[in-house]
Coordinates of all heavy atoms in Angstrom, one line a residue:
M34 N -21.2 58.2 -5.8 CA -21.9 58.5 -7.0 C -23.3 57.9 -6.9 O -23.5 56.8 -6.3 CB -21.2 57.9 -8.2 CG -19.8 58.4 -8.5 SD -19.0 57.7 -9.9 CE -20.1 58.3 -11.2
P35 N -24.4 58.6 -7.3 CA -25.7 58.0 -7.2 C -26.0 57.0 -8.2 O -25.4 56.9 -9.3 CB -26.6 59.3 -7.4 CG -25.7 60.1 -8.4 CD -24.3 59.9 -8.0
H36 N -27.0 56.1 -7.9 CA -27.6 55.2 -8.8 C -26.6 54.2 -9.4 O -26.4 54.0 -10.6 CB -28.3 55.9 -10.0 CG -29.2 57.0 -9.6 ND1 -30.4 56.7 -8.9 CD2 -29.2 58.3 -9.8 CE1 -31.0 57.9 -8.6 NE2 -30.3 58.9 -9.2
L37 N -25.9 53.5 -8.4 CA -24.9 52.5 -8.9 C -25.2 51.1 -8.4 O -24.3 50.3 -8.1 CB -23.5 52.9 -8.3 CG -22.9 54.2 -9.0 CD1 -21.5 54.5 -8.3 CD2 -22.6 54.0 -10.5
N38 N -26.5 50.8 -8.3 CA -26.9 49.5 -7.8 C -26.3 48.4 -8.7 O -25.8 47.3 -8.2 CB -28.4 49.4 -7.7 CG -28.9 50.3 -6.6 OD1 -28.2 50.7 -5.7 ND2 -30.2 50.8 -6.8
L39 N -26.5 48.5 -10.0 CA -26.1 47.5 -10.9 C -24.6 47.3 -10.9 O -24.0 46.2 -10.9 CB -26.5 47.8 -12.4 CG -28.0 47.8 -12.6 CD1 -28.3 48.3 -14.0 CD2 -28.6 46.5 -12.3
L40 N -23.8 48.4 -10.8 CA -22.4 48.3 -10.7 C -21.9 47.6 -9.4 O -21.0 46.8 -9.4 CB -21.8 49.7 -10.8 CG -20.2 49.8 -10.8 CD1 -19.7 49.1 -12.0 CD2 -19.8 51.3 -10.8
N41 N -22.6 47.9 -8.3 CA -22.3 47.2 -7.1 C -22.4 45.7 -7.1 O -21.6 45.0 -6.6 CB -23.2 47.8 -5.9 CG -22.7 49.2 -5.5 OD1 -21.6 49.5 -5.7 ND2 -23.7 49.9 -4.9
E42 N -23.5 45.3 -7.8 CA -23.8 43.8 -7.9 C -22.6 43.2 -8.7 O -22.1 42.1 -8.4 CB -25.1 43.6 -8.6 CG -26.3 43.9 -7.8 CD -26.4 43.0 -6.6 OE1 -26.0 41.8 -6.7 OE2 -26.8 43.5 -5.5
S43 N -22.2 43.8 -9.8 CA -21.1 43.3 -10.6 C -19.8 43.3 -9.8 O -19.0 42.3 -9.9 CB -21.0 44.2 -11.9 OG -19.9 43.7 -12.6
T44 N -19.6 44.3 -9.0 CA -18.4 44.4 -8.2 C -18.3 43.3 -7.2 O -17.2 42.8 -6.9 CB -18.3 45.8 -7.5 OG1 -18.3 46.8 -8.5 CG2 -17.0 45.9 -6.8
K45 N -19.4 43.0 -6.5 CA -19.5 42.0 -5.5 C -19.1 40.6 -6.1 O -18.3 39.8 -5.5 CB -20.9 41.9 -4.9 CG -21.2 43.0 -4.0 CD -22.6 42.8 -3.4 CE -23.0 43.9 -2.5 NZ -24.4 43.7 -2.0
K46 N -19.6 40.3 -7.3 CA -19.3 39.0 -8.0 C -17.8 39.0 -8.3 O -17.1 38.0 -8.1 CB -20.1 38.9 -9.2 CG -21.6 38.6 -9.0 CD -22.4 38.5 -10.3 CE -23.8 38.3 -10.0 NZ -24.6 38.2 -11.3
S47 N -17.3 40.1 -8.8 CA -15.8 40.2 -9.2 C -15.0 40.0 -7.9 O -14.0 39.3 -7.9 CB -15.5 41.5 -9.9 OG -14.2 41.6 -10.1
T48 N -15.4 40.7 -6.8 CA -14.6 40.6 -5.6 C -14.6 39.2 -5.0 O -13.6 38.7 -4.5 CB -15.1 41.6 -4.5 OG1 -15.1 42.9 -5.1 CG2 -14.3 41.5 -3.3
L49 N -15.8 38.5 -5.1 CA -15.9 37.1 -4.6 C -14.9 36.2 -5.4 O -14.3 35.4 -4.8 CB -17.3 36.7 -4.7 CG -17.6 35.3 -4.2 CD1 -17.3 35.1 -2.7 CD2 -19.1 34.9 -4.5
L50 N -14.9 36.3 -6.7 CA -14.1 35.5 -7.5 C -12.6 35.7 -7.2 O -11.8 34.8 -7.1 CB -14.4 35.8 -9.0 CG -13.5 35.0 -10.0 CD1 -13.7 33.5 -9.8 CD2 -13.8 35.4 -11.4
I51 N -12.2 37.0 -7.1 CA -10.8 37.4 -6.8 C -10.4 36.8 -5.5 O -9.3 36.3 -5.3 CB -10.6 38.9 -6.9 CG1 -10.7 39.3 -8.4 CG2 -9.3 39.3 -6.3 CD1 -10.7 40.8 -8.6
N52 N -11.3 37.0 -4.5 CA -10.9 36.5 -3.1 C -10.7 34.9 -3.2 O -9.8 34.4 -2.5 CB -12.0 36.9 -2.1 CG -11.9 38.3 -1.8 OD1 -10.8 39.0 -1.9 ND2 -13.0 38.9 -1.3
L53 N -11.6 34.3 -3.9 CA -11.6 32.8 -4.0 C -10.2 32.4 -4.7 O -9.6 31.5 -4.2 CB -12.7 32.3 -4.8 CG -12.8 30.8 -5.1 CD1 -12.8 30.0 -3.7 CD2 -13.9 30.4 -6.0
L54 N -9.8 33.1 -5.7 CA -8.6 32.8 -6.4 C -7.4 33.1 -5.5 O -6.4 32.4 -5.5 CB -8.5 33.7 -7.7 CG -9.5 33.3 -8.8 CD1 -9.3 34.2 -10.0 CD2 -9.3 31.9 -9.2
K55 N -7.5 34.2 -4.6 CA -6.4 34.4 -3.7 C -6.2 33.3 -2.7 O -5.1 32.8 -2.4 CB -6.7 35.7 -2.9 CG -6.5 37.0 -3.6 CD -6.9 38.2 -2.7 CE -6.7 39.5 -3.4 NZ -7.1 40.6 -2.5
Y56 N -7.4 32.8 -2.2 CA -7.4 31.7 -1.2 C -6.7 30.5 -1.9 O -5.8 29.8 -1.3 CB -8.8 31.3 -0.8 CG -9.3 32.1 0.3 CD1 -10.6 32.7 0.2 CD2 -8.6 32.2 1.5 CE1 -11.1 33.4 1.3 CE2 -9.1 32.9 2.6 CZ -10.4 33.5 2.5 OH -10.9 34.2 3.6
L57 N -7.2 30.1 -3.1 CA -6.6 29.0 -3.8 C -5.1 29.1 -4.0 O -4.4 28.1 -3.9 CB -7.4 28.7 -5.1 CG -8.8 28.2 -4.9 CD1 -9.5 28.1 -6.3 CD2 -8.8 26.7 -4.4
T58 N -4.7 30.2 -4.5 CA -3.3 30.4 -4.8 C -2.4 30.2 -3.5 O -1.4 29.5 -3.6 CB -3.1 31.9 -5.3 OG1 -3.8 32.1 -6.5 CG2 -1.6 32.1 -5.7
V59 N -2.8 30.8 -2.4 CA -2.0 30.7 -1.2 C -2.1 29.3 -0.7 O -1.0 28.7 -0.3 CB -2.6 31.7 -0.1 CG1 -1.9 31.4 1.2 CG2 -2.3 33.1 -0.6
I60 N -3.3 28.6 -0.7 CA -3.4 27.3 -0.1 C -2.6 26.3 -1.0 O -1.8 25.4 -0.5 CB -4.9 26.8 -0.1 CG1 -5.6 27.6 1.0 CG2 -5.0 25.3 0.1 CD1 -7.1 27.4 0.9
L61 N -2.6 26.4 -2.3 CA -1.9 25.5 -3.2 C -0.4 25.8 -3.1 O 0.4 24.8 -3.1 CB -2.4 25.7 -4.6 CG -3.8 25.1 -4.9 CD1 -4.3 25.6 -6.3 CD2 -3.8 23.6 -4.9
A62 N 0.0 27.0 -2.9 CA 1.4 27.3 -2.8 C 2.0 26.7 -1.5 O 3.1 26.1 -1.5 CB 1.6 28.8 -2.8
I63 N 1.2 26.9 -0.4 CA 1.7 26.3 0.8 C 1.7 24.8 0.8 O 2.6 24.1 1.3 CB 0.8 26.8 2.0 CG1 1.0 28.3 2.2 CG2 1.1 26.0 3.3 CD1 0.1 28.9 3.2
T64 N 0.7 24.2 0.1 CA 0.7 22.7 -0.1 C 1.9 22.3 -0.8 O 2.5 21.2 -0.5 CB -0.6 22.3 -0.9 OG1 -1.8 22.7 -0.2 CG2 -0.6 20.8 -1.1

Side-chain angles (χ1 to χ4, degrees):
M34 298 179 68
H36 312 297
L37 291 177
N38 294 335
L39 295 176
L40 182 60
N41 285 337
E42 289 297 323
S43 176
T44 303
K45 284 181 182 178
K46 290 179 181 179
S47 176
T48 303
L49 181 63
L50 177 61
I51 287 172
N52 286 338
L53 179 61
L54 293 177
K55 283 180 181 177
Y56 275 127
L57 285 174
T58 301
V59 173
I60 291 170
L61 288 169
I63 291 174
T64 301

